Amino acid sequence: VGTEIDWEKGYLVVMQHPVTTEYKQSKNDVTTTLEAIQELNIPTFWFWPNVDAGSDGTSSGIRTFRELKKPTNIRFFKNMEPNDFLRLLKNSQCLIGNSSVGIRECSYLGVPVV
């Protein structure tokens, strides 16, 4: 969902999951990240959160932001084929978020993580 991304000039990948011990803050946390990504105005592939405690708040924050702000630099995904996802990561400028992908896959692929 979202606008088409011009990925050829570089892009970011975002995977932000709720912090299970701070699940009540998940909507505010994701909104802060969304605002920062929109301000950067770098094409971004944003993946939906996992289903841990707080995912309702994170998902609600994404939907609310998407519908109200209509960001032109973000495309949202729920899932992707594994090989396509690895290619997407490998060719990104960096991963932003708190997913274990940042430790496992990105460290192996040499992709920076914020």
Side-chain angles (χ1 to χ4, degrees):
V1 176
T3 59
E4 291 291 324
I5 297 294
D6 182 9
W7 54 269
E8 293 181 4
K9 296 179 182 176
Y11 59 88
L12 306 173
V13 175
V14 176
M15 297 187 79
Q16 182 170 339
H17 303 300
V19 178
T20 56
T21 57
E22 301 170 359
Y23 65 90
K24 292 180 181 177
Q25 297 172 210
S26 61
K27 186 171 184 175
N28 289 334
D29 290 345
V30 78
T31 300
T32 299
T33 306
L34 282 157
E35 289 169 350
I37 294 297
Q38 186 176 34
E39 187 175 323
L40 283 173
N41 200 32
I42 297 171
T44 301
F45 293 92
W46 190 297
F47 285 85
W48 224 249
N50 58 19
V51 292
D52 289 343
S55 64
D56 289 345
T58 301
S59 297
S60 173
I62 291 170
R63 276 194 295 289
T64 300
F65 188 88
R66 186 186 66 204
E67 298 307 315
L68 292 177
K69 304 286 184 168
K70 302 191 185 318
T72 58
N73 64 310
I74 305 172
R75 183 142 181 107
F76 299 93
F77 290 85
K78 288 199 176 184
N79 56 31
M80 185 177 282
E81 291 293 324
N83 287 336
D84 293 338
F85 178 68
L86 291 173
R87 273 192 294 275
L88 184 78
L89 274 179
K90 177 65 179 156
N91 294 306
S92 69
Q93 292 176 329
C94 77
L95 171 78
I96 296 173
N98 61 349
S99 174
S100 62
V101 166
I103 297 169
R104 295 178 183 165
E105 287 82 353
C106 288
S107 64
Y108 178 79
L109 296 170
V111 176
V113 179
V114 177

